[in-house]
Structure formats: structure tokens, C-alpha cells
Amino acid sequence: MIRYLIKRLLLAMLTLLVILFTSYALLRLAPGDPSRSDMLSGGNQGTMDSKSSELHENRALREKLALDKPIVIGFSLWLKAALLHGDLGESAAVDPGRSVTDMIMERLPLTLKLNFYAIMLTYLLAIPLGVFSAAKAGSFFDRSTEIVLFILYSLPVMWVGLLLQSFLCEGGAFPLLPLGGTEPENARELSIWQYQIANAKHLVLPVFCLAYAGFAGLSRYARSSVLQTIHSDFIRSARAKGVSPGIVLWKHAFRNALITMITLFSGLLPSLISGSVLVEYIFNLPGMGTLSLLSLSSRDYPLQMALFAFAGVLTLGGLLISDLLYMAADPRIRLSGK
């Protein structure tokens, strides 16, 4: 198993290297860069001295970002600084001169909190619903659940978020929840429990918007997997031996259907992180999603590369965790390094 993990880590590092180089190359080949944004926005205004000074600053920024060098050399310089010195660079446009690592670490906790709650909500509700739907396949409960989940899965998150704001937030038809932000304005006047309750209200709608599509999809996958397992020969044998329906369903059928749900986990985590871009924008949350939008709109190369690296590590880490969960779900699976 150790040999297998070493091989997978080496393969993951190679894959991440390819992802980062491709991302860097696409950034460099795309029109525009952070050193030219000020020139384009400034127009013809300003004196000759100010224009000369601006040109000098833009030239210095291009040299600092290695934009005056070929793509391969520029990527090598970025990778060398990231690996040897742990330096992901400084922001070139969003917050000029500030460390990219500090910017990410400032916004990362909120995004992790939102996605942790969304993943917990998705799995804790979707799996039991899918299993019960499979156990009652063809019933009214199963058919009505299928219709509701299909509708949920097809709804765009932007529309759902704005609709919930117009109905359930301040200024809407039923002003039960805050419109946006992460904490109440009168936080200093509240007790600890009042603050916790008020803070939780800010997370209800963002977590729901992150979770509902994954919840709908995962529950249908769980139903399909369990339904396929229920018709297996070993399930018929267990029923013939007089094993109770609950044990047959959860201990035998569900455990053998876990492989599909574990496989989906490897893609669920990165998809939730990417989905937080729209959710954080709608609810005005200062997380990784809004930071990604700012980096894209301002063509902040160092910040974009750091975000690409974070997303790549997250995706590859999810795949590795899935491999390890396979063994926990089914002891017959053996990870081999051969």
C-alpha cells in the first residue's frame, strides 16, 4: 500500500505540473495582461511625464512577472520560487504588492466553512433519501421524489440565489434572513449565543445554494446503485436465510453500493469550490469565489496561478482520498503498487 501511495503521489505531482503549465500558457497567450490594464484605462489623459512614468512602471511590472520572457522560462521562474522558497508571488492588480498567500489564507476559512457544511448536508440527506427510494422503487414516494429532485438539479444557482433573496431576505416578502455578508452589524451588542445564531442565519442560504444540486444528483446515484445491488444473488440469499429487511438494505446492499458514491466524492469537492464563485458573489461573501472573480477581471497572473494550484491540489487530493475510501468500504479491494 505504501508503494501504491508513493506512485500515486508522484503521478499526482506530474499531473499537477501539467495542469499548472497549461494554465500558465493559456494566461500568457490570452490578450491583455496586468501591466497593460492601467494604460488601457488611462486613455489619452495625463501629461507626458505621467505617461512616461506609467510606461516605466508597466515595464518594471512586466519584468517582475517575467512577461518579457518566453512562456517556458516564465513558468520555470514561477515554479522555482513556489517550490524552493514557498513564494507564490505578490498580487499585481487586485491588491498590488500584497502576498498572494496572505490573500488566500484570509479568504480560505470562509469558503472551507461553507463547503464543509454543504458536503455534510449533501451526504447526510442525499444517501438516506436515495436508499429509501431504492427500497420503495416504483412507489408514490419514489416517483414524487424523482420529480422534485429532477427539478432541483435543473435549476441554475444564480436564479435560485436571487429568488431566495427576494423572498426570504431583508426587504423581501418574508424577511427571515439577512441579505448578505458574514456577520450581523450589531455583533458587539449580542451575547455569544445570539451572535452564533445570527452568524448561522448568514450561512443558511449560501449553504443551501451550494448543496441543493449536489444533493439532488447524489441521491439519484445512490438510488441507482442500491437498486442495482438489491437484485444481486447475494441479496436474495440473505433474504432467503431470514435476515431482516433493514440489515439486508443497509449492511449488504448499501455497503456494496458505496463504491459509486465514493467515486462521486472525488468530483464533488472541486465542483463545490468552483460553485462557490457564484454563491459568494450573490450573497456578497469575501471568500475564495469572489477572489477568483477579482483575479480574472484584473488579469492578476500571480493570484490566478495560486488559485489554479489550489484547485489542482484539491482535485487530485479528492481522487487520492477516494482510493483510500475504497478499501474502507470494501475490504476485498487491495491497493497494489505493481
Side-chain angles (χ1 to χ4, degrees), residues 64-126:
K64 180 180 180 181
L65 299 179
L67 299 180
D68 56 339
K69 296 179 174 60
I71 292 177
V72 176
I73 296 178
F75 176 75
S76 301
L77 294 174
W78 179 87
L79 188 64
K80 179 181 177 181
L83 292 179
L84 298 182
H85 307 288
D87 182 15
L88 296 177
E90 297 177 349
S91 175
V94 176
D95 193 354
R98 189 179 180 189
S99 172
V100 168
T101 304
D102 293 341
M103 296 175 64
I104 292 177
M105 294 306 297
E106 179 182 353
R107 294 172 177 257
L108 182 60
L110 176 61
T111 300
L112 290 180
K113 181 192 296 186
L114 290 174
N115 285 275
F116 172 77
Y117 291 145
I119 291 174
M120 294 295 293
L121 183 66
T122 298
Y123 273 84
L124 291 178
L125 296 181

Short mmCIF file of all heavy atoms in Angstrom, two decimals, residues 64-126:
data_model
loop_
_atom_site.label_atom_id
_atom_site.label_comp_id
_atom_site.label_asym_id
_atom_site.label_seq_id
_atom_site.Cartn_x
_atom_site.Cartn_y
_atom_site.Cartn_z
N LYS A 64 9.10 42.03 -13.62
CA LYS A 64 8.89 41.33 -12.36
C LYS A 64 8.08 40.06 -12.55
O LYS A 64 8.35 39.03 -11.92
CB LYS A 64 8.18 42.27 -11.37
CG LYS A 64 7.91 41.64 -10.01
CD LYS A 64 7.21 42.64 -9.10
CE LYS A 64 6.92 42.01 -7.74
NZ LYS A 64 6.22 42.98 -6.84
N LEU A 65 7.09 40.11 -13.43
CA LEU A 65 6.25 38.94 -13.70
C LEU A 65 6.82 38.05 -14.79
O LEU A 65 6.19 37.05 -15.16
CB LEU A 65 4.84 39.39 -14.10
CG LEU A 65 4.06 40.21 -13.07
CD1 LEU A 65 2.70 40.61 -13.61
CD2 LEU A 65 3.89 39.42 -11.77
N ALA A 66 7.98 38.39 -15.31
CA ALA A 66 8.64 37.61 -16.38
C ALA A 66 7.79 37.54 -17.64
O ALA A 66 7.85 36.56 -18.38
CB ALA A 66 8.97 36.20 -15.87
N LEU A 67 7.01 38.60 -17.89
CA LEU A 67 6.19 38.63 -19.09
C LEU A 67 7.01 38.98 -20.33
O LEU A 67 6.52 38.81 -21.46
CB LEU A 67 5.05 39.66 -18.93
CG LEU A 67 4.08 39.37 -17.78
CD1 LEU A 67 3.00 40.46 -17.73
CD2 LEU A 67 3.45 38.00 -17.92
N ASP A 68 8.24 39.46 -20.12
CA ASP A 68 9.11 39.77 -21.24
C ASP A 68 9.95 38.57 -21.65
O ASP A 68 10.79 38.67 -22.54
CB ASP A 68 10.03 40.93 -20.87
CG ASP A 68 10.83 40.65 -19.61
OD1 ASP A 68 10.41 39.78 -18.81
OD2 ASP A 68 11.88 41.29 -19.41
N LYS A 69 9.71 37.43 -21.02
CA LYS A 69 10.47 36.21 -21.33
C LYS A 69 9.54 35.17 -21.94
O LYS A 69 8.32 35.26 -21.82
CB LYS A 69 11.11 35.65 -20.04
CG LYS A 69 12.15 36.57 -19.43
CD LYS A 69 12.71 35.97 -18.16
CE LYS A 69 13.87 36.83 -17.61
NZ LYS A 69 13.44 38.19 -17.30
N PRO A 70 10.09 34.17 -22.61
CA PRO A 70 9.26 33.11 -23.18
C PRO A 70 8.43 32.40 -22.12
O PRO A 70 8.74 32.44 -20.92
CB PRO A 70 10.28 32.16 -23.82
CG PRO A 70 11.48 32.99 -24.07
CD PRO A 70 11.52 34.02 -22.97
N ILE A 71 7.37 31.72 -22.57
CA ILE A 71 6.44 31.09 -21.64
C ILE A 71 7.13 30.04 -20.78
O ILE A 71 6.91 29.98 -19.56
CB ILE A 71 5.27 30.46 -22.43
CG1 ILE A 71 4.41 31.56 -23.07
CG2 ILE A 71 4.41 29.58 -21.52
CD1 ILE A 71 3.27 31.03 -23.92
N VAL A 72 7.98 29.22 -21.38
CA VAL A 72 8.64 28.15 -20.64
C VAL A 72 9.54 28.72 -19.54
O VAL A 72 9.54 28.24 -18.40
CB VAL A 72 9.44 27.25 -21.59
CG1 VAL A 72 10.22 26.19 -20.81
CG2 VAL A 72 8.52 26.58 -22.60
N ILE A 73 10.28 29.78 -19.87
CA ILE A 73 11.18 30.38 -18.88
C ILE A 73 10.37 31.06 -17.78
O ILE A 73 10.69 30.96 -16.59
CB ILE A 73 12.13 31.38 -19.57
CG1 ILE A 73 13.03 30.64 -20.56
CG2 ILE A 73 12.96 32.13 -18.54
CD1 ILE A 73 13.96 31.54 -21.32
N GLY A 74 9.31 31.77 -18.17
CA GLY A 74 8.47 32.43 -17.17
C GLY A 74 7.84 31.42 -16.21
O GLY A 74 7.81 31.65 -14.99
N PHE A 75 7.37 30.30 -16.74
CA PHE A 75 6.79 29.28 -15.87
C PHE A 75 7.85 28.65 -14.97
O PHE A 75 7.59 28.36 -13.80
CB PHE A 75 6.10 28.20 -16.71
CG PHE A 75 5.56 27.06 -15.90
CD1 PHE A 75 4.41 27.22 -15.16
CD2 PHE A 75 6.21 25.84 -15.88
CE1 PHE A 75 3.89 26.17 -14.40
CE2 PHE A 75 5.71 24.79 -15.12
CZ PHE A 75 4.55 24.95 -14.39
N SER A 76 9.03 28.44 -15.51
CA SER A 76 10.11 27.86 -14.71
C SER A 76 10.49 28.76 -13.53
O SER A 76 10.72 28.28 -12.41
CB SER A 76 11.34 27.61 -15.59
OG SER A 76 11.03 26.73 -16.65
N LEU A 77 10.52 30.07 -13.77
CA LEU A 77 10.83 31.01 -12.70
C LEU A 77 9.74 31.00 -11.62
O LEU A 77 10.03 31.03 -10.42
CB LEU A 77 11.01 32.42 -13.26
CG LEU A 77 12.21 32.62 -14.19
CD1 LEU A 77 12.18 34.02 -14.80
CD2 LEU A 77 13.51 32.39 -13.43
N TRP A 78 8.46 30.95 -12.05
CA TRP A 78 7.37 30.90 -11.08
C TRP A 78 7.42 29.60 -10.27
O TRP A 78 7.25 29.61 -9.05
CB TRP A 78 6.03 31.00 -11.80
CG TRP A 78 4.86 30.92 -10.87
CD1 TRP A 78 4.27 31.94 -10.19
CD2 TRP A 78 4.15 29.74 -10.48
NE1 TRP A 78 3.24 31.49 -9.41
CE2 TRP A 78 3.13 30.13 -9.56
CE3 TRP A 78 4.26 28.39 -10.82
CZ2 TRP A 78 2.25 29.22 -8.99
CZ3 TRP A 78 3.38 27.48 -10.25
CH2 TRP A 78 2.40 27.89 -9.35
N LEU A 79 7.66 28.48 -10.97
CA LEU A 79 7.70 27.18 -10.29
C LEU A 79 8.88 27.09 -9.32
O LEU A 79 8.75 26.53 -8.22
CB LEU A 79 7.78 26.06 -11.33
CG LEU A 79 7.65 24.64 -10.81
CD1 LEU A 79 6.27 24.42 -10.22
CD2 LEU A 79 7.91 23.63 -11.94
N LYS A 80 10.02 27.66 -9.71
CA LYS A 80 11.19 27.65 -8.83
C LYS A 80 10.93 28.41 -7.55
O LYS A 80 11.25 27.94 -6.44
CB LYS A 80 12.39 28.24 -9.57
CG LYS A 80 13.66 28.31 -8.74
CD LYS A 80 14.79 28.95 -9.54
CE LYS A 80 16.04 29.08 -8.69
NZ LYS A 80 17.15 29.73 -9.45
N ALA A 81 10.31 29.59 -7.68
CA ALA A 81 10.01 30.38 -6.48
C ALA A 81 8.97 29.68 -5.60
O ALA A 81 9.05 29.72 -4.38
CB ALA A 81 9.50 31.76 -6.90
N ALA A 82 8.00 29.01 -6.23
CA ALA A 82 6.94 28.35 -5.46
C ALA A 82 7.47 27.12 -4.73
O ALA A 82 7.11 26.87 -3.58
CB ALA A 82 5.79 27.96 -6.38
N LEU A 83 8.32 26.33 -5.39
CA LEU A 83 8.79 25.07 -4.80
C LEU A 83 9.95 25.29 -3.82
O LEU A 83 9.94 24.73 -2.72
CB LEU A 83 9.22 24.10 -5.90
CG LEU A 83 8.10 23.56 -6.80
CD1 LEU A 83 8.67 22.62 -7.85
CD2 LEU A 83 7.04 22.84 -5.96
N LEU A 84 10.92 26.08 -4.21
CA LEU A 84 12.12 26.23 -3.40
C LEU A 84 11.93 27.21 -2.24
O LEU A 84 12.49 27.01 -1.15
CB LEU A 84 13.30 26.67 -4.27
CG LEU A 84 13.71 25.69 -5.38
CD1 LEU A 84 14.92 26.21 -6.13
CD2 LEU A 84 13.99 24.30 -4.80
N HIS A 85 11.16 28.25 -2.47
CA HIS A 85 11.02 29.30 -1.46
C HIS A 85 9.60 29.40 -0.90
O HIS A 85 9.36 30.20 0.01
CB HIS A 85 11.43 30.65 -2.05
CG HIS A 85 12.79 30.64 -2.67
ND1 HIS A 85 13.95 30.58 -1.94
CD2 HIS A 85 13.19 30.68 -3.98
CE1 HIS A 85 15.01 30.58 -2.75
NE2 HIS A 85 14.56 30.65 -4.00
N GLY A 86 8.67 28.63 -1.43
CA GLY A 86 7.29 28.73 -0.97
C GLY A 86 6.67 30.08 -1.25
O GLY A 86 5.75 30.50 -0.56
N ASP A 87 7.17 30.76 -2.27
CA ASP A 87 6.72 32.11 -2.60
C ASP A 87 5.83 32.05 -3.83
O ASP A 87 6.29 31.76 -4.93
CB ASP A 87 7.93 33.02 -2.86
CG ASP A 87 7.52 34.45 -3.16
OD1 ASP A 87 6.34 34.79 -2.89
OD2 ASP A 87 8.36 35.21 -3.67
N LEU A 88 4.54 32.31 -3.66
CA LEU A 88 3.60 32.32 -4.78
C LEU A 88 3.51 33.69 -5.43
O LEU A 88 2.71 33.88 -6.35
CB LEU A 88 2.22 31.87 -4.31
CG LEU A 88 2.13 30.43 -3.80
CD1 LEU A 88 0.73 30.13 -3.28
CD2 LEU A 88 2.51 29.44 -4.89
N GLY A 89 4.31 34.60 -4.97
CA GLY A 89 4.35 35.92 -5.59
C GLY A 89 3.48 36.94 -4.87
O GLY A 89 2.85 36.65 -3.84
N GLU A 90 3.46 38.13 -5.42
CA GLU A 90 2.65 39.23 -4.89
C GLU A 90 1.59 39.61 -5.90
O GLU A 90 1.79 39.48 -7.12
CB GLU A 90 3.54 40.44 -4.59
CG GLU A 90 4.59 40.18 -3.52
CD GLU A 90 5.49 41.38 -3.30
OE1 GLU A 90 5.41 42.32 -4.12
OE2 GLU A 90 6.25 41.39 -2.31
N SER A 91 0.48 40.08 -5.40
CA SER A 91 -0.62 40.48 -6.26
C SER A 91 -0.18 41.62 -7.18
O SER A 91 0.48 42.56 -6.74
CB SER A 91 -1.82 40.91 -5.42
OG SER A 91 -2.85 41.41 -6.24
N ALA A 92 -0.57 41.51 -8.45
CA ALA A 92 -0.18 42.53 -9.41
C ALA A 92 -1.28 43.54 -9.69
O ALA A 92 -1.00 44.62 -10.22
CB ALA A 92 0.23 41.86 -10.73
N ALA A 93 -2.53 43.19 -9.36
CA ALA A 93 -3.63 44.08 -9.71
C ALA A 93 -4.69 44.19 -8.63
O ALA A 93 -5.17 45.28 -8.32
CB ALA A 93 -4.28 43.62 -11.03
N VAL A 94 -5.11 43.08 -8.04
CA VAL A 94 -6.19 43.10 -7.05
C VAL A 94 -5.78 43.90 -5.82
O VAL A 94 -6.51 44.79 -5.37
CB VAL A 94 -6.58 41.66 -6.65
CG1 VAL A 94 -7.64 41.69 -5.54
CG2 VAL A 94 -7.11 40.90 -7.86
N ASP A 95 -4.62 43.58 -5.25
CA ASP A 95 -4.08 44.31 -4.10
C ASP A 95 -2.57 44.40 -4.31
O ASP A 95 -1.82 43.62 -3.74
CB ASP A 95 -4.41 43.58 -2.79
CG ASP A 95 -4.14 44.44 -1.57
OD1 ASP A 95 -3.60 45.54 -1.74
OD2 ASP A 95 -4.48 44.01 -0.45
N PRO A 96 -2.11 45.32 -5.15
CA PRO A 96 -0.70 45.34 -5.58
C PRO A 96 0.28 45.35 -4.41
O PRO A 96 0.14 46.11 -3.46
CB PRO A 96 -0.62 46.66 -6.38
CG PRO A 96 -2.00 46.91 -6.85
CD PRO A 96 -2.89 46.41 -5.76
N GLY A 97 1.26 44.45 -4.51
CA GLY A 97 2.31 44.37 -3.51
C GLY A 97 2.02 43.44 -2.35
O GLY A 97 2.92 43.11 -1.58
N ARG A 98 0.80 43.01 -2.21
CA ARG A 98 0.45 42.13 -1.09
C ARG A 98 0.71 40.67 -1.45
O ARG A 98 0.51 40.26 -2.60
CB ARG A 98 -1.01 42.30 -0.70
CG ARG A 98 -1.35 41.57 0.60
CD ARG A 98 -2.78 41.76 0.99
NE ARG A 98 -3.09 41.05 2.23
CZ ARG A 98 -4.30 40.90 2.74
NH1 ARG A 98 -5.34 41.42 2.10
NH2 ARG A 98 -4.49 40.23 3.85
N SER A 99 1.14 39.88 -0.49
CA SER A 99 1.44 38.48 -0.71
C SER A 99 0.19 37.72 -1.12
O SER A 99 -0.87 37.85 -0.50
CB SER A 99 2.04 37.85 0.55
OG SER A 99 2.16 36.46 0.41
N VAL A 100 0.31 36.93 -2.19
CA VAL A 100 -0.81 36.12 -2.65
C VAL A 100 -1.22 35.10 -1.60
O VAL A 100 -2.41 34.83 -1.39
CB VAL A 100 -0.43 35.43 -3.98
CG1 VAL A 100 -1.45 34.36 -4.34
CG2 VAL A 100 -0.32 36.44 -5.10
N THR A 101 -0.24 34.53 -0.91
CA THR A 101 -0.54 33.54 0.14
C THR A 101 -1.38 34.15 1.24
O THR A 101 -2.34 33.54 1.73
CB THR A 101 0.76 32.98 0.72
OG1 THR A 101 1.57 32.43 -0.33
CG2 THR A 101 0.48 31.91 1.75
N ASP A 102 -1.06 35.38 1.65
CA ASP A 102 -1.84 36.05 2.70
C ASP A 102 -3.27 36.31 2.24
O ASP A 102 -4.23 36.17 3.02
CB ASP A 102 -1.17 37.36 3.09
CG ASP A 102 0.16 37.15 3.79
OD1 ASP A 102 0.40 36.03 4.28
OD2 ASP A 102 0.97 38.10 3.83
N MET A 103 -3.44 36.69 0.98
CA MET A 103 -4.78 36.96 0.45
C MET A 103 -5.62 35.69 0.44
O MET A 103 -6.81 35.72 0.79
CB MET A 103 -4.67 37.54 -0.95
CG MET A 103 -3.98 38.89 -1.02
SD MET A 103 -3.74 39.48 -2.70
CE MET A 103 -5.43 39.70 -3.24
N ILE A 104 -5.02 34.57 0.07
CA ILE A 104 -5.75 33.31 0.03
C ILE A 104 -6.09 32.84 1.44
O ILE A 104 -7.23 32.43 1.72
CB ILE A 104 -4.94 32.24 -0.73
CG1 ILE A 104 -4.85 32.62 -2.21
CG2 ILE A 104 -5.57 30.86 -0.57
CD1 ILE A 104 -4.02 31.66 -3.03
N MET A 105 -5.13 32.90 2.34
CA MET A 105 -5.36 32.44 3.71
C MET A 105 -6.40 33.30 4.43
O MET A 105 -7.07 32.84 5.35
CB MET A 105 -4.05 32.45 4.50
CG MET A 105 -3.02 31.45 3.98
SD MET A 105 -3.65 29.77 3.86
CE MET A 105 -4.01 29.42 5.58
N GLU A 106 -6.54 34.54 4.02
CA GLU A 106 -7.53 35.42 4.63
C GLU A 106 -8.95 35.02 4.23
O GLU A 106 -9.89 35.12 5.03
CB GLU A 106 -7.26 36.87 4.21
CG GLU A 106 -8.24 37.87 4.78
CD GLU A 106 -7.97 39.29 4.30
OE1 GLU A 106 -6.93 39.51 3.64
OE2 GLU A 106 -8.79 40.17 4.59
N ARG A 107 -9.10 34.55 3.00
CA ARG A 107 -10.44 34.23 2.49
C ARG A 107 -10.77 32.74 2.52
O ARG A 107 -11.93 32.35 2.37
CB ARG A 107 -10.57 34.74 1.05
CG ARG A 107 -10.52 36.26 0.94
CD ARG A 107 -10.46 36.69 -0.50
NE ARG A 107 -10.48 38.14 -0.64
CZ ARG A 107 -11.55 38.84 -1.03
NH1 ARG A 107 -12.69 38.21 -1.27
NH2 ARG A 107 -11.50 40.14 -1.14
N LEU A 108 -9.76 31.91 2.68
CA LEU A 108 -9.97 30.46 2.62
C LEU A 108 -10.88 29.93 3.72
O LEU A 108 -11.72 29.06 3.45
CB LEU A 108 -8.61 29.75 2.66
CG LEU A 108 -8.64 28.23 2.55
CD1 LEU A 108 -9.28 27.80 1.24
CD2 LEU A 108 -7.22 27.66 2.66
N PRO A 109 -10.76 30.37 4.99
CA PRO A 109 -11.61 29.79 6.05
C PRO A 109 -13.11 29.88 5.76
O PRO A 109 -13.85 28.93 6.02
CB PRO A 109 -11.23 30.60 7.29
CG PRO A 109 -9.83 31.05 7.03
CD PRO A 109 -9.78 31.32 5.56
N LEU A 110 -13.57 31.00 5.22
CA LEU A 110 -14.99 31.15 4.94
C LEU A 110 -15.45 30.16 3.87
O LEU A 110 -16.49 29.51 4.02
CB LEU A 110 -15.30 32.59 4.49
CG LEU A 110 -16.74 32.86 4.08
CD1 LEU A 110 -17.69 32.59 5.24
CD2 LEU A 110 -16.90 34.29 3.57
N THR A 111 -14.67 30.03 2.80
CA THR A 111 -15.03 29.09 1.73
C THR A 111 -15.01 27.65 2.23
O THR A 111 -15.89 26.86 1.89
CB THR A 111 -14.08 29.26 0.54
OG1 THR A 111 -14.17 30.59 0.05
CG2 THR A 111 -14.45 28.31 -0.58
N LEU A 112 -14.02 27.31 3.05
CA LEU A 112 -13.96 25.96 3.61
C LEU A 112 -15.16 25.70 4.52
O LEU A 112 -15.72 24.60 4.52
CB LEU A 112 -12.66 25.76 4.38
CG LEU A 112 -11.38 25.69 3.55
CD1 LEU A 112 -10.17 25.48 4.46
CD2 LEU A 112 -11.46 24.57 2.51
N LYS A 113 -15.54 26.69 5.31
CA LYS A 113 -16.70 26.53 6.19
C LYS A 113 -17.97 26.28 5.38
O LYS A 113 -18.75 25.36 5.67
CB LYS A 113 -16.87 27.77 7.07
CG LYS A 113 -18.04 27.67 8.05
CD LYS A 113 -18.35 29.01 8.69
CE LYS A 113 -17.21 29.49 9.55
NZ LYS A 113 -17.58 30.74 10.29
N LEU A 114 -18.19 27.09 4.36
CA LEU A 114 -19.38 26.93 3.54
C LEU A 114 -19.42 25.55 2.87
O LEU A 114 -20.45 24.87 2.87
CB LEU A 114 -19.42 28.02 2.46
CG LEU A 114 -19.68 29.45 2.93
CD1 LEU A 114 -19.54 30.42 1.77
CD2 LEU A 114 -21.07 29.57 3.55
N ASN A 115 -18.30 25.14 2.33
CA ASN A 115 -18.27 23.86 1.61
C ASN A 115 -18.31 22.67 2.56
O ASN A 115 -18.84 21.62 2.19
CB ASN A 115 -17.03 23.80 0.72
CG ASN A 115 -17.15 24.65 -0.51
OD1 ASN A 115 -17.69 24.23 -1.51
ND2 ASN A 115 -16.65 25.89 -0.44
N PHE A 116 -17.76 22.81 3.76
CA PHE A 116 -17.86 21.73 4.73
C PHE A 116 -19.33 21.48 5.10
O PHE A 116 -19.80 20.34 5.10
CB PHE A 116 -17.06 22.08 5.99
CG PHE A 116 -17.24 21.10 7.12
CD1 PHE A 116 -16.61 19.87 7.10
CD2 PHE A 116 -18.06 21.42 8.19
CE1 PHE A 116 -16.79 18.96 8.14
CE2 PHE A 116 -18.25 20.53 9.24
CZ PHE A 116 -17.60 19.29 9.21
N TYR A 117 -20.05 22.55 5.40
CA TYR A 117 -21.47 22.41 5.73
C TYR A 117 -22.25 21.87 4.53
O TYR A 117 -23.17 21.05 4.69
CB TYR A 117 -22.05 23.74 6.17
CG TYR A 117 -21.54 24.22 7.50
CD1 TYR A 117 -21.34 25.57 7.76
CD2 TYR A 117 -21.25 23.33 8.52
CE1 TYR A 117 -20.87 26.02 8.98
CE2 TYR A 117 -20.78 23.76 9.76
CZ TYR A 117 -20.59 25.11 9.97
OH TYR A 117 -20.12 25.54 11.19
N ALA A 118 -21.90 22.33 3.32
CA ALA A 118 -22.61 21.87 2.13
C ALA A 118 -22.38 20.38 1.89
O ALA A 118 -23.31 19.64 1.54
CB ALA A 118 -22.17 22.68 0.91
N ILE A 119 -21.14 19.91 2.06
CA ILE A 119 -20.85 18.49 1.86
C ILE A 119 -21.54 17.63 2.92
O ILE A 119 -22.13 16.59 2.61
CB ILE A 119 -19.33 18.26 1.89
CG1 ILE A 119 -18.68 18.88 0.65
CG2 ILE A 119 -19.00 16.77 1.94
CD1 ILE A 119 -17.18 18.83 0.66
N MET A 120 -21.50 18.08 4.17
CA MET A 120 -22.17 17.33 5.23
C MET A 120 -23.67 17.26 4.97
O MET A 120 -24.30 16.19 5.11
CB MET A 120 -21.90 18.00 6.58
CG MET A 120 -20.46 17.93 7.03
SD MET A 120 -19.92 16.24 7.34
CE MET A 120 -20.93 15.83 8.76
N LEU A 121 -24.26 18.38 4.58
CA LEU A 121 -25.70 18.41 4.29
C LEU A 121 -26.03 17.50 3.10
O LEU A 121 -27.03 16.77 3.12
CB LEU A 121 -26.14 19.85 4.01
CG LEU A 121 -27.63 20.08 3.75
CD1 LEU A 121 -28.43 19.78 5.01
CD2 LEU A 121 -27.87 21.52 3.30
N THR A 122 -25.19 17.54 2.09
CA THR A 122 -25.43 16.74 0.89
C THR A 122 -25.43 15.25 1.20
O THR A 122 -26.36 14.51 0.85
CB THR A 122 -24.37 17.05 -0.17
OG1 THR A 122 -24.47 18.43 -0.55
CG2 THR A 122 -24.58 16.20 -1.41
N TYR A 123 -24.39 14.77 1.87
CA TYR A 123 -24.27 13.34 2.12
C TYR A 123 -25.23 12.85 3.20
O TYR A 123 -25.79 11.75 3.09
CB TYR A 123 -22.83 12.99 2.50
CG TYR A 123 -21.96 12.72 1.30
CD1 TYR A 123 -21.36 13.76 0.60
CD2 TYR A 123 -21.74 11.43 0.85
CE1 TYR A 123 -20.58 13.52 -0.51
CE2 TYR A 123 -20.96 11.17 -0.26
CZ TYR A 123 -20.39 12.22 -0.94
OH TYR A 123 -19.62 11.98 -2.05
N LEU A 124 -25.44 13.63 4.24
CA LEU A 124 -26.31 13.18 5.33
C LEU A 124 -27.77 13.09 4.89
O LEU A 124 -28.54 12.29 5.45
CB LEU A 124 -26.19 14.12 6.53
CG LEU A 124 -24.86 14.06 7.28
CD1 LEU A 124 -24.85 15.08 8.42
CD2 LEU A 124 -24.59 12.66 7.83
N LEU A 125 -28.17 13.87 3.91
CA LEU A 125 -29.56 13.84 3.45
C LEU A 125 -29.73 13.04 2.16
O LEU A 125 -30.74 12.33 2.00
CB LEU A 125 -30.08 15.27 3.23
CG LEU A 125 -30.16 16.16 4.48
CD1 LEU A 125 -30.71 17.53 4.10
CD2 LEU A 125 -31.02 15.52 5.56
N ALA A 126 -28.77 13.14 1.26
CA ALA A 126 -28.94 12.50 -0.05
C ALA A 126 -28.86 10.99 0.02
O ALA A 126 -29.64 10.28 -0.63
CB ALA A 126 -27.88 13.03 -1.02
#
